[in-house]
Amino acid sequence: MKASEQTNYYFRKASKELGMQAQLERVLMSAKREVKVEIVVELDNKEVASFTGFRVQHDSSRGPMKGGLRYHPEVDPDEVNSLASLMTWKTAVVNIPYGGAKGGISCDPGKLSHQELQRITRAFIDEIHDIIGPQLDVPAPDMGTNAQTMAWIVDQFSKYHGWTPAVVTGKPLELGGSEGREAATGQGVYYAIEALMADEGKSITELSFAIQGFGNVGSFVAQFIAAAGGKVVAISDYGGAIINREGIDIPALMAFAKVSGTVVGFPHAEPLQRDMLLSTDCDVLIPAALGGVLTKDNAKDIQARYIIEAANGPTTPEADEYFLKSGKILLPDIFVNAGGVVVSYFEWVQNIQQFRWRLDRVNTELKGIMMDAYREIRSIAKSSHCDFRTAAFQLAISRVASATALRGLETDAFCLIRS
Ligand code: NAD
């Protein structure tokens, strides 16, 4: 199943529960604007090269559109489209005043020099500067891009429009980035776990965790769980996996992985076959690496009672159905990994206010937003007798439909959602 089909499947399941009409479904599912541009630059060897850049703007009914910009050889328009719509639902679930967008350039950043990447980024902004901006569409880093890319975008955009740090988020601190942005997604995942476990009457200290992926998200989640007294028993990355039933020493693993670049070979744990991590005996499984890893083939092997989707799209619809039937509790990606976009929102607010927040304020506000969203999702799940994912999509769809109706599209179909 393609990425877009997966998003649409979950969307349709929730819209069916809401009793939504087909015409409204179509309006909410389709992208507002899809832009494809040719980026022509001179390479370091003086050859002229051309790359294709995309920006998909999915929905702006609740505010400026928001979403990452990825540089990857296989940036696929279908995937960009699906990720743009996911951003619409994600920003709506956590109730921040944004719509959804996503974009990218079809290039291999590993094969391009620093200067070539800078020229490509600037040339892309030359092509799209009039359709992005603090009140229109606010890009952020994604696969293959980083704070440096965002700094070039601020500089290039500001040549056309004057000093505008709020045009992107995920910037370096020196150019208006926010405290707490790097850890934000992992911090948000941790708050989501805390909210669920408080509800389940469980303490983090009595639970065991397995985490797939030890990159930005996985490593921060592991650190927050360990700092709260939770036992992380297994961790994997691209190279392999490790296990220690007594609990992995996370600060020591961080220091090890910083030097070796992988968790493999960590001396205070046993090696484990990489994909066996998913079926490890533990209470909480946190996929924090790739999409589509929990499938109909391995769903029956998953032992964890709780699945916390830190990655985007880790569960296929078949596995999702299986987990539902077997009584597992799954917190969905559109809520769980929203911490990154929430702190991006704080960065944008700080840029517009020209006022810097301290880290403790960033984390207090983030926790408040994650807790509020959890309570709202849980309340819908209880009243509609549905799972958390369907409840989260219902919450998001209702908010987007309601904003669309209030802005003037007062057809019967939209009013049904508003009431
Ligand atoms: P990252 O590139 O920093 O880390 C990815 C990790 O996954 C690495 O440790 C890598 O070795 C590991 N990995 C890759 N293939 C693997 C495999 N087959 N088995 C086990 N581990 C594997 O990426 P990230 O920023 O941590 O993002 C992880 C996931 O979270 C992605 O799905 C991303 O879309 C999602 N996400 C990230 C953010 C963010 O702010 N970084 C926000 C929202 C969602």
Side-chain angles (χ1 to χ4, degrees):
M1 190 180 270
K2 288 198 289 192
S4 56
E5 286 166 353
Q6 193 163 308
T7 309
N8 292 347
Y9 171 88
Y10 293 130
F11 174 93
R12 284 214 175 85
K13 191 172 167 193
S15 69
K16 205 166 139 198
E17 294 253 352
L18 284 169
M20 191 189 284
Q21 294 177 10
Q23 106 206 44
L24 176 53
E25 258 190 8
R26 270 198 302 279
V27 172
L28 293 183
M29 279 166 76
S30 44
K32 180 185 162 72
R33 183 195 268 157
E34 294 179 30
V35 175
K36 182 176 165 191
V37 295
E38 190 187 17
I39 301 161
V40 182
V41 291
E42 191 179 88
L43 299 177
D44 292 348
N45 64 7
K46 304 290 177 206
E47 272 178 26
V48 172
S50 115
F51 302 89
T52 306
F54 303 95
R55 189 72 185 164
V56 175
Q57 299 178 327
H58 179 257
D59 189 277
S60 62
S61 56
R62 299 181 60 261
M65 292 163 285
K66 186 87 193 82
L69 199 59
R70 56 177 55 173
Y71 290 1
H72 192 273
E74 286 142 34
V75 170
D76 160 24
D78 176 68
E79 197 182 8
V80 174
N81 225 304
S82 141
L83 291 169
S85 83
L86 257 186
M87 287 305 295
T88 299
W89 315 127
K90 197 177 286 187
T91 51
V93 164
V94 287
N95 209 7
I96 55 175
Y98 284 142
K102 203 82 176 188
I105 300 179
S106 186
C107 67
D108 187 346
K111 293 190 177 145
L112 293 159
S113 72
H114 186 80
Q115 287 309 327
E116 286 169 338
L117 283 169
Q118 177 169 179
R119 287 199 288 278
I120 290 168
T121 302
R122 289 184 187 277
F124 185 46
I125 298 309
D126 288 340
E127 297 297 329
I128 66 161
H129 72 90
D130 53 352
I131 60 151
I132 61 168
Q135 306 304 334
L136 279 176
D137 177 1
V138 186
D142 201 277
M143 242 190 263
T145 56
N146 53 28
Q148 174 63 78
T149 323
M150 299 303 115
W152 292 328
I153 295 178
V154 168
D155 188 68
Q156 194 66 11
F157 185 88
S158 296
K159 286 180 183 165
Y160 291 98
H161 303 278
W163 176 240
T164 320
V167 64
V168 284
T169 58
K171 297 178 292 289
L173 279 175
E174 297 88 331
L175 286 177
S178 179
E179 296 287 351
R181 176 64 186 84
E182 201 194 348
T185 304
Q187 182 73 75
V189 173
Y190 176 73
Y191 291 144
I193 297 170
E194 226 183 33
L196 173 67
M197 293 311 165
D199 220 17
E200 293 278 301
K202 293 196 183 312
S203 157
I204 302 280
T205 54
E206 68 187 76
L207 297 166
S208 58
F209 297 80
I211 305 176
Q212 183 189 45
F214 201 61
N216 173 276
V217 179
S219 67
F220 276 110
V221 176
Q223 289 175 76
F224 292 123
I225 290 170
K231 200 193 277 183
V232 181
V233 294
I235 296 183
S236 66
D237 66 15
Y238 184 73
I242 53 169
I243 185 163
N244 180 344
R245 299 237 55 97
E246 300 308 311
I248 295 168
D249 179 344
I250 301 297
L253 179 63
M254 287 295 297
F256 175 85
K258 200 171 169 189
V259 176
S260 68
T262 174
V263 300
V264 179
F266 181 57
H268 314 294
E270 300 300 315
L272 179 72
Q273 199 196 323
R274 188 185 71 188
D275 297 341
M276 292 300 287
L277 175 124
L278 297 170
S279 51
T280 303
D281 179 14
C282 63
D283 300 307
V284 185
L285 174 64
I286 308 177
L290 307 169
V293 293
L294 298 171
T295 65
K296 65 176 184 337
D297 298 327
N298 63 13
K300 59 183 179 321
D301 303 325
I302 308 304
Q303 299 195 50
R305 171 158 165 72
Y306 302 99
I307 297 163
I308 311 292
E309 291 188 335
N312 279 321
T315 313
T316 65
E318 295 92 343
D320 197 61
E321 287 300 327
Y322 182 87
F323 294 150
L324 259 179
K325 282 192 199 113
S326 51
K328 294 199 188 296
I329 296 176
L330 181 150
L331 281 185
D333 51 2
I334 57 167
F335 161 61
V336 171
N337 67 30
V341 73
V342 171
V343 176
S344 273
Y345 161 57
F346 297 159
E347 180 177 332
W348 178 79
V349 168
Q350 292 171 71
N351 295 153
I352 290 169
Q353 293 180 332
Q354 300 189 32
F355 184 78
R356 190 177 282 280
W357 296 5
R358 291 158 49 126
L359 180 60
D360 55 355
R361 177 165 182 196
V362 169
N363 285 335
T364 306
E365 299 277 357
L366 172 61
K367 185 168 185 174
I369 285 182
M370 294 302 289
M371 294 292 169
D372 284 350
Y374 175 77
R375 278 190 284 271
E376 286 168 299
I377 294 167
R378 183 195 53 189
S379 157
I380 294 174
K382 284 204 168 137
S383 61
S384 306
H385 306 288
C386 68
D387 58 288
F388 282 122
R389 190 193 308 279
T390 309
F393 267 93
Q394 281 192 42
L395 179 63
I397 294 168
S398 311
R399 281 188 173 138
V400 174
S402 181
T404 308
L406 284 164
R407 289 180 64 166
L409 202 62
E410 295 267 7
T411 69
D412 287 351
F414 279 89
C415 293
L416 176 81
I417 296 293
R418 278 183 61 194
S419 57

